[in-house]
């Protein structure tokens, strides 16, 4: 089994392209899009030992550019906006659920009260039917 020769220039180009994509906020492979060395490695698709072993200068350059960049990447910004929207939706859903639960409690109370009144009305009706009726005075 022979070992394949590495193309260091292609590796450097892959790292530079990955750094550019991450800094622009348009990563291909990185899920989070954060401006970290780990995300750079994920984005360029190379092994960690190759990146840190032979191309540490590019990692340091990327970290410096990321630190100097004073805005949040678009991906991270979208994620933060989505997170805020989801939190708002969750808060609204919780409030709606609490209101529904209160309505259910009120309906359960009303149902129990009406059930008691119905039982009392049936008892009164049954008691009223046991009364002997007198014949009409007309007959």
């Amino acid at each position: 089994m022979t070992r394949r020769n590495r193309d260091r220039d292609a590796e450097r180009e892959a790292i530079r392209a990955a750094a550019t994509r991450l800094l622009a906020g348009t990563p291909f492979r990185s899920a989070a899009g954060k401006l970290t060395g780990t995300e750079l490695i994920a984005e360029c698709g190379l092994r960690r030992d190759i990146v840190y072993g032979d191309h540490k200068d590019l990692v340091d350059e990327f970290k410096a550019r990321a630190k100097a960049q004073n805005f949040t990447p678009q991906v991270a910004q979208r994620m933060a906006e989505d997170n805020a929207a989801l939190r708002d939706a969750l808060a609204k859903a919780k409030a709606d659920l609490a209101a529904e639960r209160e309505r259910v409690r009120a309906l359960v109370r009303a149902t129990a009260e009406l059930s008691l009144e119905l039982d009392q009305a049936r008892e009164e009706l049954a008691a009223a039917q046991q009364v002997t009726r007198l014949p009409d005075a007309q007959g």
Side-chain angles (χ1 to χ4, degrees):
M1 182 175 196
T2 61
R3 190 171 192 188
R4 210 175 90 212
N5 288 336
R6 290 178 31 208
D7 184 358
R8 294 186 197 289
D9 292 333
E11 292 172 356
R12 292 183 73 77
E13 186 56 38
I15 294 170
R16 283 191 183 108
T20 302
R21 288 192 303 269
L22 283 173
L23 290 168
T26 56
F28 290 151
R29 296 182 184 111
S30 170
K34 294 181 181 178
L35 301 179
T36 63
T38 301
E39 292 298 315
L40 177 65
I41 291 168
E43 183 65 22
C44 72
L46 297 172
R47 292 190 336 243
R48 179 175 292 278
D49 63 319
I50 290 174
V51 174
Y52 277 109
D54 296 331
H55 309 293
K56 178 117 173 64
D57 60 318
L58 293 177
V59 175
D60 293 338
E61 177 186 323
F62 168 73
K63 287 180 180 179
R65 287 175 60 196
K67 190 173 184 180
Q69 191 170 331
N70 61 0
F71 74 93
T72 306
Q74 292 176 356
V75 172
Q77 189 172 359
R78 275 194 305 264
M79 288 174 60
E81 291 168 358
D82 291 347
N83 188 3
L86 289 172
R87 285 181 186 270
D88 290 343
L90 178 61
K92 184 183 179 315
K94 284 182 177 181
D96 291 346
L97 180 60
E100 285 298 319
R101 285 182 173 161
E102 186 55 39
R103 280 192 282 274
V104 166
R105 281 193 285 274
L107 289 173
V108 166
R109 285 191 303 269
T111 303
E113 201 171 304
L114 289 172
S115 179
L116 288 173
E117 288 180 15
L118 180 61
D119 288 343
Q120 288 174 351
R122 285 181 178 155
E123 289 173 7
E124 289 174 8
L125 181 62
Q129 289 176 350
Q130 293 175 358
V131 174
T132 306
R133 296 192 183 238
L134 299 175
D136 281 341
Q138 296 174 353

